[in-house]
Amino acid sequence: MVITRDLAPPAADVASYRAVRDLTESLASPLSPEDQTVQSMDDVSPTKWHRAHTTWFFETFLLLPNLPGYEPFHPDFGFLFNSYYEAVGSRHPRANRGVISRPGVEETAAYRRYVDEAMARLLLRSEPDPDLASLVELGLNHEQQHQELLLMDIKHVLAANPLRPAYHRELEREPETWRPARYLPRPGGLYEVGHAGDGFSFDNELPRHEVKLGDYELADRPVNCGDFLAFIDDGGYHRPELWLSDGWAMVRANGWNAPLYWSGDGESSVYTLGGPLPIDPSEPVCHISYYEADAFARWAGGRLPTEFEWEAASTELGDGHRFSPDWVHPTGGGPHPGGTGQVWEWTGSAYLPYPGFRPAPGAVGEYNGKFMVNQHVLRGGCVATPPGHRRASYRNFFPPGARWPFTGVRIARDPEPTAAR
Amino acid sequence: MVITRDLAPPAADVASYRAVRDLTESLASPLSPEDQTVQSMDDVSPTKWHRAHTTWFFETFLLLPNLPGYEPFHPDFGFLFNSYYEAVGSRHPRANRGVISRPGVEETAAYRRYVDEAMARLLLRSEPDPDLASLVELGLNHEQQHQELLLMDIKHVLAANPLRPAYHRELEREPETWRPARYLPRPGGLYEVGHAGDGFSFDNELPRHEVKLGDYELADRPVNCGDFLAFIDDGGYHRPELWLSDGWAMVRANGWNAPLYWSGDGESSVYTLGGPLPIDPSEPVCHISYYEADAFARWAGGRLPTEFEWEAASTELGDGHRFSPDWVHPTGGGPHPGGTGQVWEWTGSAYLPYPGFRPAPGAVGEYNGKFMVNQHVLRGGCVATPPGHRRASYRNFFPPGARWPFTGVRIARDPEPTAAR
Amino acid sequence: MVITRDLAPPAADVASYRAVRDLTESLASPLSPEDQTVQSMDDVSPTKWHRAHTTWFFETFLLLPNLPGYEPFHPDFGFLFNSYYEAVGSRHPRANRGVISRPGVEETAAYRRYVDEAMARLLLRSEPDPDLASLVELGLNHEQQHQELLLMDIKHVLAANPLRPAYHRELEREPETWRPARYLPRPGGLYEVGHAGDGFSFDNELPRHEVKLGDYELADRPVNCGDFLAFIDDGGYHRPELWLSDGWAMVRANGWNAPLYWSGDGESSVYTLGGPLPIDPSEPVCHISYYEADAFARWAGGRLPTEFEWEAASTELGDGHRFSPDWVHPTGGGPHPGGTGQVWEWTGSAYLPYPGFRPAPGAVGEYNGKFMVNQHVLRGGCVATPPGHRRASYRNFFPPGARWPFTGVRIARDPEPTAAR
Amino acid sequence: MVITRDLAPPAADVASYRAVRDLTESLASPLSPEDQTVQSMDDVSPTKWHRAHTTWFFETFLLLPNLPGYEPFHPDFGFLFNSYYEAVGSRHPRANRGVISRPGVEETAAYRRYVDEAMARLLLRSEPDPDLASLVELGLNHEQQHQELLLMDIKHVLAANPLRPAYHRELEREPETWRPARYLPRPGGLYEVGHAGDGFSFDNELPRHEVKLGDYELADRPVNCGDFLAFIDDGGYHRPELWLSDGWAMVRANGWNAPLYWSGDGESSVYTLGGPLPIDPSEPVCHISYYEADAFARWAGGRLPTEFEWEAASTELGDGHRFSPDWVHPTGGGPHPGGTGQVWEWTGSAYLPYPGFRPAPGAVGEYNGKFMVNQHVLRGGCVATPPGHRRASYRNFFPPGARWPFTGVRIARDPEPTAAR
C-alpha cells in the first residue's frame, strides 16, 4: 500500500477529490468481501458501508442538486446509505448495517466509480461556485473522517475474530526510548480559541472567541503504556475512589481491567492492525475510555486538561503525527516524540457549542451540532487520521465510554498540586 | 442449478458421501461471499458457517479418531465450528457467528476439499467397520439437516435486506386449484409409533412403542394461504380468546399481524427465495409459529394433531414432497396435492423422549436429547428438505415462537365437534 | 395462628366460603402493610394484591351477574385486580403490581368484607342454582391456589431482604431419620387417568381417559437434601453432559450452584418462612427448577416420571401432606414419610390438554387452557397447599425455570437400568 | 401540615437540627406505610428509605466517629442505607430498594428518634469543634436535598398508580395572569462566579473564579405551559431538526409527546401532588428533560443559557421561591412573578468541576465530584426545595433525560438573533 504522506488539506478540485477518494479505496484494498461486510457492534459500520456512505454524500448533496440530468445510481441507496440526516428522509437502522449483504463490494466499487465520474464532470464545469466548492470541501473532509472510522471499525471487527487476523502485515516497529513525562508550566490569562483564518474548518470550531484560563501545567507527552501498567499494578481498576461513579459502573458491568485490545498473561499482548504484538511501555496508551483517562489522571495526582488548555498549549507540544495504515498503532517516536497526533487525547471538556455557534443551514447543518450532549472533546489526531485532516482547533468527540477509537490521554495539573505522585 | 431429485437415503460409501457434500456446495453456489457472511439474528447461521460446521463434524468425529496421521486443517477450527457439543470442548458463541469474517468462503471451500479427500481415503479402506459406518451415516444426515437450515437461514438474511434480493431467480410457479379441506375420519386404538426396520433413524425416533389414541379426524391437506387470509380477515390477530397466553404476548410484543415474510397492502405479497411474489391462496401457508398454528386451529373449530395422530395417519395423506432449491416456496400441487412434505406441520406434542429413550453414547449423543424441553414436534418435511431425508417417524422440533423455518399446519378435530367452521 | 387442619374440600355454602376466605386473612395476618406491598420479581404478586384479586373474582363472576342491585366496591378495581382474563377487559400490567401502594391493606380488608357480606346474601338465597354453585366452588378453589401463591410469593419477598426476616417464628422442627430411597416396581399396561367422580376438579383434569404405560419403577420417597448435596459434591452444577441445553444455559446465565434459598459456607443454610435454618439432609429438597430435577435424575441413573406414571402409582406412595403456615418448610416426616404432598414433584410431562379437552365456556374458561405451552406438570401438592385442595389427578404447572414454588422431585427409572447409582 | 416557611439556612445547633429533621417527618406524614415502601423506577427511592438514609448519614459520619460509646441502632443498616459511598463499604443495590419491606415505617421512625437523641447529646457537648460543625451542616444540607427528592420521588410513585391518588389535598391554586416573556439584555465581560463568603456551600460551588462572557439576553420568566403548548401545537415533538440526536432517540423510544405528568384529551390535565388539575398556561412548564428544554429553545429562536450567564444575571431575575408541600406545583405567581425558584432551570452547561476544584477529604468527599460526567447543571431551586437551601451559586445536576425532578427552563439568546420568533 502506497500512501502519499503529505497530502495537503483537500480542496474543491479534481486532483484533491481523486486523492481523497483513492485513499479510501486504498484503505479497503487489503480487506476481503467478507471482512467488508461485518458489523461487530452497533457503533461499528462495515467497510463497504463506509465506502458507499461517503459516496452517497456526494450524490445527495452535490450531484442531485447541481448536475443537470444526473440519475441516481440506484433508487434505494438513498435509504440504505443515509447515516443520520433526518432532513434527507428515512434511513436504514444503524444497528442493522451488518445484516445487509448487498450491494456487495463489487457493486459498491461500481457506485463509487459512477459518482466519481459525475463529480469530475461537475468539478470541471467552467463557472466556479463558492457555495458548491464549500460543499465539496465538506464532502472530502467528511470522507477523511470516515477513513479514520474505517480503520478503527475494521480493527474492532478483526479483533472480534478468535483467530486475531491482521489487517496488514507490513509492520515494522521502531524502537523507542522510554522517558519520564515532564509538566510544562503554562500561564493563565485570556486566550483566543477556535478556528482562525480562511481555511476549511467544521462549524463546531467557530466562532473564535476568548476564554479565561488560570495557570496550569501540561505534560510534555501522552500517558504511555508503561505509565498505565503502573496504574494497573497499583490496583487502578479495583479502587472505586479513583473513578467517576458512571465509570466505576462501567468497570464492573464490563469487567474492564486493561485498555481495549490488551490481553495475555499479565496483559502482555496488544492487538494491532498488524496483529498481536508485545506491549511496548514507551508507546502512548491507546483505546481507553474517558473514564479510564480520568481515573488515571486522578491516580497520577493530576486531572484532564480542558480543551482550551490543550489548544492554547498545542504549538508548544510539537507535532508527532505520522499517518500510515501499514503502521496503525501509535508510537512514542516519530518526528516529535511526545507531540500531538499519535492518539486522540481526551479532554475534560464536554462537547458543547461555542458562544454564538450556528450550524450550517440545510441538511449538512446536521453535521456536528446535533451531537452536542453526552460526549467529551478529544484533541490532536491519531495515527489513523489522514494527512491534511488535523489542526489545533479540531474538535473530535466521543461518548465517555468509547474505547474503540484511537483514544489516549495527556495529563494536566494545577500549579503546586497538593498531592504529587 | 441441477439437483438430483431422487437421491437415495445417504449411506456410508463414497458416492453417497459425495452426493450429499456436493449438494451443500450447490446450494451455496448462488451466494456471494458477502451473502455467506451475514447472520441476521441469533438463530440464523451464516452460509459459510454451515459449510464449515458440517465439515468439522467429519473431521472431529470421523477423521481425527479413525484416520491415522490425519492433521487438522486448522488448529482453531475446532473452536470456531463446534455448534453445541459440550463434550468436545469450548466453542465460539452462537450469536457471534456473524462477526467472524475469516475464514472466508475460499478458505472454507479449501477446508471442505481437504476433509473430503481424507474422508475418501477413510471410506475406501478395505476393512469395513459398522460403528464407523453409522457415524458416517449420522454425519451425512446431519449435513442434510444443515442443507435445510442453510436455505431457511439465507432466506432470513436476504429478507432482512430492504432491497429484497432473490436467492435464485429461476422460479416457475405452477397454477393451483384451490379446494376446501376435508376431514378424514380415523379410528382410535393402540398404535405402534417410532422408527421401524434397519434403516437409519435419529435416536429420538426410538424406541418404537405403543400408544393409545382416541377416535379423531385429520384434514386432507395443510392449511393454505386462502384459509389463513380468512383467519386474518376475521380479526384472528386481534382476538385474545383464540390464543395461548404466551402466544398473545408474542403477538403484542412483536406486532405480528400475518405470517413472516408477508407484506404489502392487504398483505398481498410474500417474500420467497425467488424474491417477492403475490400470495397464492391455494399454496400451503408457511412461516407461522406454533402459536399462530394453534390460534388458527381454535378459530377453525379444531385443534393441532398430536405427533402420533399424525404418524398413524401419514400413509393415508400421500407424499407431496418436491425438493428444488429453484423452487423453495411450498406449493399446493405436486404429485400428491395436500400430501405431506410441503411444509413442516406443527403438532400439539411437546418434544419429549420416547419411553425407554437412550441417547447414543459419547459426544454424538448430544445430538437430540439435550433439546427435549421448550420445543414442539413438527412432522412431514418441507420443500427445503433434501431428498432421502424424510420418513413417517421423523421428529423435527422448534421452539413455539419460531417462524423462520418452513412451518405450516394441518388441522385435526375430535369426532362430532361442537363448533364446526 | 390457628389453622383448621382438616378443612373439607370447599363447597358452595356459607360455612365453606367463610373458612376459605378466613384462611387467606389468617395467612396475611403476620405481615405488615409494607410486607404486603412488595413485588420482588415479575412472577411474584404482593400479598395485598392476592387478597384483592381473589375478592375481585367473586365480585366479577358471581356478584355482578347474579346479585341484583350489587354495586362494585370501587369503579377501578376491575382494572387493577384482573390478572389475565382478557375477556373481562383491560388490566394493570403484572410486572407493575408492586408500584401500586393504594388501595392499602386497610382498604383491601374493607373490600373483602364488603364482598363477603354480599356473597353471604347470595349464598343464602332460597333457590339453589347448580351453575352458580359451580362458580362458587371454582372461586374457592381459585382462592386456595392463591393461598399457596401468597406463601411462595411472600417467601421470595422476604428472602430478597438482606435481613432475612421470618414470616413467622413459631417453628418447631421434628427430627427425621434419613433412609435410602427404594424403587417400587410398577407394571405397565393400560391405565385410566384424569379426574373421576362427581367432586370438584379443574377442567384440565378432564376428560378421564386411557393411556398405555410400559413397566417402570418409582422411588418411594422424594429426593432429599442429602441426595442433592451428593449431586452438588459430585460437580453436578459443573457438568454440562447432565443438563438439558436450555438448563445449562440457565445455570451459566444465573450462576446457579444450589437450590434457591440455600446459602452459607458449603451451602449449609436454607432460608425458610421461619427464617434461616441449617440444611437437614433428610428433608425433601425444595425450590429446584425442572432443569435441576432433570439433571439430578440423569446423574442418579434415572429419569423423571411422566405425570401418568405418577398418577397411576399415587395410592401406593402414601399421603405425607401436612399443612401449616407455621411449618412452611417441607419435612421428610409426617404421617407417611416419603409420601406425596410435601413438595410439588416435577414430572417429565409437558403441560398439554387431555384428549377431548374443552375449557369451560365464558371468561372463567381462560383459567387453565391458555397456559398449555412452555410449562411442565407437577403433581402431589406441598406443605403450602391448603387442606382440601389436593387429589391424585391434580395438575399443577410451572415453566421449567421456576424455582420459587415449593418444587421438588421423585425419580423414576426403567426396569433393569444400565446405570444404577 | 404546618411548615415554617422562613427557616434559616441550617446550622450546627440543636434547634436547626431539629427543624430540618422535623420537616422530613412532616413531609412523610401524609403517606401510608404502603406509600412509603414503593420504588416506581430505579431512580426513585422509597420514602422510608429517604428517612433512614438521611439518618444513616448522621450515624455513620457523626455519631460513630465522635460520640464515645455510641452503639449503632442495627448492625445491618450500614449496608441497607448507604447510597453510594464506596469508601464506607458495600451497599444494597439501588434498584432493589423497593423490594425491602423491613425495616418498616415504625422501625424507621424509631431509628430516627434513636439517632436524634444521640445527635442532641453530641451537639450539646461543651467543647465546640469546627470540623464537626461542618459535618453537621453538611448532614443537614444533605437531608434538605433528600426532602426535595422525597417529594419528587413520591410524586412519581403516586402517579404510577392508575387511581392517581393525591399526596395531599389542601391545594388552593392562585389565579395567574399570563404575560409574554421579555428578554433582558446583559453585557458581556469578566464575571466572578462560584460561592462567595463564609456561609455553607457544597464543594462543587468552589473555587470562586472568573469567566469571560459575551453579550447575551435572558428571558425575564421561565417558559410557561402556554408557551409549551404552542411548541406542541407547532409539531415540536415531531420535527427532528429541533432536537439533539440523543434527544430525538429518546422521543421515539419513549413516545414522548408532552411533559411528564401531562395527560388527557389535548393534554389538558396535569398530575400534581394535589391530584390531577387542568393545565394553567401561565404556570411555568415543569417535568421536562434537557432534551425538551433544548428543543423548545431552538424552536423559539433561542438557546439555553450557560450556568454562568444564569448566575451572573440571577439578582436581576428576582426570587419567586415559595415552599409548601401543600402546594407542590410551580406557579407563575408568588412574590416575584417570573423570578427564580419555581422550577429548576436547565442550563446548557455540562456538570464539570470548576478550575482548581478539590473534593472534601474522606468519604464525604464522594458527595459531588464523582458525578461530574453525563449530567447538566440546573439552577434556581423549585417549589419543593426547602427554605434555606437555595443560593445563586447552587449547582443542581441531573442526566439530560431526567423528567421526574421539578425541571423547567428559561431561554437565552445572542443579541440580534438571526431567527426571531
Side-chain angles (χ1 to χ4, degrees), chain C residues 314-325:
Chain C
S314 62
T315 53
E316 238 177 292
L317 302 174
D319 189 344
H321 183 61
R322 185 166 97 166
F323 175 73
S324 164

Side-chain angles (χ1 to χ4, degrees), chain A residues 30-41 48 74 76-77 79-80 92 98-107 157-158 160-163 165-167, chain B residues 30-41 48 74 76-77 79-80 92 98-107 157-158 160-163 165-167:
Chain A
L31 299 169
S32 71
E34 295 91 335
D35 293 337
Q36 296 194 39
T37 302
V38 171
Q39 176 175 34
S40 52
M41 66 168 171
K48 69 186 179 69
H74 189 292
D76 292 325
F77 282 12
F79 175 79
L80 280 181
H92 187 64
V99 305
I100 301 299
S101 60
R102 307 184 192 180
V105 297
E106 282 188 27
E107 192 174 1
V157 166
L158 296 175
N161 191 326
L163 306 178
Y167 162 74
Chain B
L31 299 168
S32 71
E34 295 91 334
D35 293 337
Q36 297 194 36
T37 301
V38 172
Q39 176 176 34
S40 51
M41 66 168 171
K48 69 185 179 71
H74 190 291
D76 293 324
F77 282 11
F79 175 79
L80 280 181
H92 187 63
V99 305
I100 302 299
S101 61
R102 305 182 192 181
V105 297
E106 282 186 27
E107 192 174 0
V157 166
L158 296 174
N161 191 327
L163 306 179
Y167 163 73

